[in-house]
Amino acid sequence: MATPSRSEILTLFRSLLRSARQFQDYNIREYTKRRTIDAFRHNKTLSEPSSIAAAFSDGQSQLQVAKRQAVVYSLYAPKIKSIMDIKH
């Protein structure tokens, strides 16, 4: 696999954050956002093309998992909103 470009990496980052917004549960939504940001910060120092490609591939698979999980969680969403979701 070729090394992904900077724009492809940023697109993946934005897509992961967008998929996090699909979760209705506050805790899962925030966990997904935090996990995405932490993973990208951790992989920011990668310089070897093969490790960058591997991290990108892992990110793409995580995106697919997040999209599937968002659909599953929407089917079984709680009827009552979390206290964190209630706006004053």
Side-chain angles (χ1 to χ4, degrees), residues 15-87:
S15 296
L16 283 163
L17 290 179
R18 269 190 227 106
S19 70
R21 282 188 289 190
Q22 301 302 314
F23 289 102
Q24 295 180 6
D25 185 88
Y26 172 81
N27 292 323
I28 297 169
R29 185 171 56 243
E30 291 302 311
Y31 171 77
T32 306
K33 284 173 30 181
R34 186 174 61 247
R35 175 111 191 249
T36 298
I37 292 167
D38 289 346
F40 273 79
R41 280 187 185 145
H42 175 70
N43 291 330
K44 183 167 85 170
T45 59
L46 295 178
S47 59
E48 193 174 311
S50 62
S51 60
I52 293 171
F56 184 76
S57 176
D58 183 49
Q60 286 179 320
S61 65
Q62 291 297 320
L63 176 61
Q64 297 306 316
V65 168
K67 285 180 178 180
R68 285 193 305 267
Q69 286 300 103
V71 170
V72 171
Y73 275 91
S74 70
L75 295 173
Y76 301 103
K79 304 292 184 224
I80 301 170
K81 283 192 168 197
S82 168
I83 191 73
M84 300 303 286
D85 289 331
I86 298 173
K87 300 201 190 246

